[in-house]
Amino acid sequence: MTQNQKRLLNLDILRLVSALLVLTYHYGFRMEVTGEGDGTGFPEFAPVAIWLDSGLLIFFAISGYVITLSAEGRTPFDFAVGRVARLWPTFVLCASATAIVLNNWPVPGLPAPAVKQWLAHLVINARALGQPFLDGAYWTIAYEAMFYGWVFVFMALGWFKKYWRTIVVCWLALSIANELRIDSEALRKLLITEYSGYFVFGMTLYKLRQGQSPGAFLILAASILWATATPFIIEPKFFELYGIHRSTAGLALTGPIAISCVALCAMLPGFPIRPAVAIGVGGLTYPLYLLHQHIGYAVFARFGTVHGRWLVATTLIAILLFGSWLIAVFFEPAARRFVRYLARHASAMSARLAKSQPQMP
């Protein structure tokens, strides 16, 4: 196994750790503050859990690294098919499971799912169709899909490999301008301006590890500065949601710690763990992330009590991990093969139709 493969195994493990950080943030902090667990909470975790939304920042930096790697040596078509096969079937499955659970076990403060709301999730970004997400965590998946879309566009134009420095510098410049001056919500959603520092950090870190020019270090430094600023940029939204101010020192440390975790896992030798185990651990991450939040709130609201909350939490997390394993092992491989099969046949049919068209004289 190559060193790069070992480092990717490190990132697989970090992905699951990040998902568990976000899970702890939702169950250990948010659920009690918002009342979505119908009075159930874990206040003893709150002083630590309040900071664990940083797991999202780690996800974005990992995505920048891994997607840049995935784009190497692939055609735009193959890249797009690979991303759709990876993202879409599991998203639809987990959104459907969430809709079923919420319909039977309502979450306080959330309306019951509607058919049109579920149907909007077939395009992943349900908000683009005017529908709320079935799970609060889905906004990050919409951002991931937007990032993949931009990578595809630049690959199709032939710019992603040749002009990547120009692309990421412009992205950072537009992000800073939007967050500090323009304040356009459309740009914020379209260009992920709040979190671009993490994506750019991951992209540049990968390029540096492939022997890119020293100028990339300046881009890396700029991305680190913007990633460090991000927690301060998004903190007003945190206060608006929860009415709680977090410490300046903690906010200043959040970004550097998140990107340091990714850098260390990408650069250090592989953890002493069997590759199959690391890959299996990483495979749990996506379905676990998609399933945990509102399904968890529904379970706590339905079954949680002051004295039984620990049993409910242990059972819930065990079931979520087992369900995620079932999806990763049995559903995802078959779904990916099916999507790739459809893509190949659609491509072949398109080629045949193009050849059958009469040629212009």
Side-chain angles (χ1 to χ4, degrees), residues 5 30 45 59 70 87 115 127 155 201 221 246 256 268 278 335:
Q5 288 173 313
R30 177 186 167 112
F45 281 144
F59 275 131
S70 297
L87 205 69
V115 172
R127 285 180 181 170
M155 288 178 68
F201 174 82
R246 293 187 288 190
L268 292 176

Side-chain angles (χ1 to χ4, degrees), residues 17-32:
V17 171
S18 301
L20 293 173
L21 292 178
V22 175
L23 179 150
T24 305
Y25 169 77
H26 286 143
Y27 296 171
F29 167 69
R30 177 186 167 112
M31 184 171 66
E32 183 180 31

Side-chain angles (χ1 to χ4, degrees), residues 95-107 113 294-299:
S96 302
T98 299
I100 292 169
V101 171
L102 296 184
N103 189 61
N104 289 279
W105 299 339
V107 169
H294 283 179
I295 287 179
Y297 296 161
V299 169

